Amino acid sequence: LRTDAVRREYVCYECQNNELKRTDELSRLSDASKRITEITEQHMEDLEKLPKKLWKCQEDLQFKLTNLAVIARNLNEKLNIKEQEVIKLEQEFNELKFQRDILAIEVKSLQTHFFHCEREHADHESMK
């Protein structure tokens, strides 16, 4: 319990909510990617119905939509990579906090031992 209290004492509100933010960002990017894919499919269906003189304009739009889909996919991949990096850094951070907590407990124990020894020494000196 003491270790958990010490850990919470050094974690900011933003870090506690960081997991929710990353999940929300990933969800929004995934939704955007799906919407782009759906729009692209709908666009391809609409292309078949248009007169030929509009075909060139629609090809340009299709090219741009395809590029946007590629960009969205690349952003999702980069986000996944960054997500893994964040998870790794959080694990390292938690390990360091755990080690810090252990050292804090050890320091407290050594201080108590030191004061006890100092008191015993003072008692021996006063007996002389």
Side-chain angles (χ1 to χ4, degrees):
L1 293 175
R2 168 81 176 125
T3 304
D4 288 339
V6 170
R7 260 190 224 143
R8 274 189 244 113
E9 181 179 337
Y10 292 99
V11 177
C12 69
Y13 179 77
E14 185 177 321
C15 292
Q16 290 173 350
N17 291 319
N18 197 19
E19 179 67 30
L20 293 174
K21 289 178 185 177
R22 282 195 317 274
T23 302
D24 186 49
E25 288 173 7
L26 182 60
S27 175
R28 285 190 309 216
L29 278 173
S30 179
D31 290 345
S33 180
K34 287 176 186 175
R35 284 193 305 269
I36 288 174
T37 302
E38 291 170 2
I39 290 170
T40 301
E41 290 172 359
Q42 181 62 43
H43 183 69
M44 290 304 291
E45 291 173 11
D46 292 345
L47 280 178
E48 296 171 4
K49 300 173 186 174
L50 292 174
K52 287 188 176 184
K53 62 181 173 180
L54 293 177
W55 187 255
K56 177 63 177 156
C57 180
Q58 293 303 315
E59 281 181 339
D60 291 343
L61 288 175
Q62 180 60 38
F63 177 74
K64 289 176 184 177
L65 281 172
T66 302
N67 284 341
L68 285 174
V70 169
I71 290 170
R73 194 175 324 114
N74 288 340
L75 287 173
N76 279 332
E77 290 172 3
K78 288 179 183 179
L79 180 65
N80 287 336
I81 290 169
K82 293 297 181 187
E83 180 78 16
Q84 294 304 315
E85 290 175 4
V86 166
I87 290 170
K88 182 180 176 187
L89 288 173
E90 283 177 342
Q91 289 171 344
E92 290 175 10
F93 179 69
N94 288 334
E95 178 62 29
L96 289 173
K97 286 193 308 185
F98 179 73
Q99 290 174 6
R100 179 211 55 204
D101 293 345
I102 289 174
L103 289 174
I105 291 168
E106 188 176 333
V107 164
K108 203 63 151 159
S109 173
L110 289 173
Q111 285 175 338
T112 303
H113 180 70
F114 175 77
F115 290 131
H116 178 70
C117 289
E118 204 173 55
R119 199 175 304 135
E120 283 182 8
H121 179 69
D123 289 345
H124 286 319
E125 287 295 319
S126 66
M127 292 177 119
K128 287 184 183 179

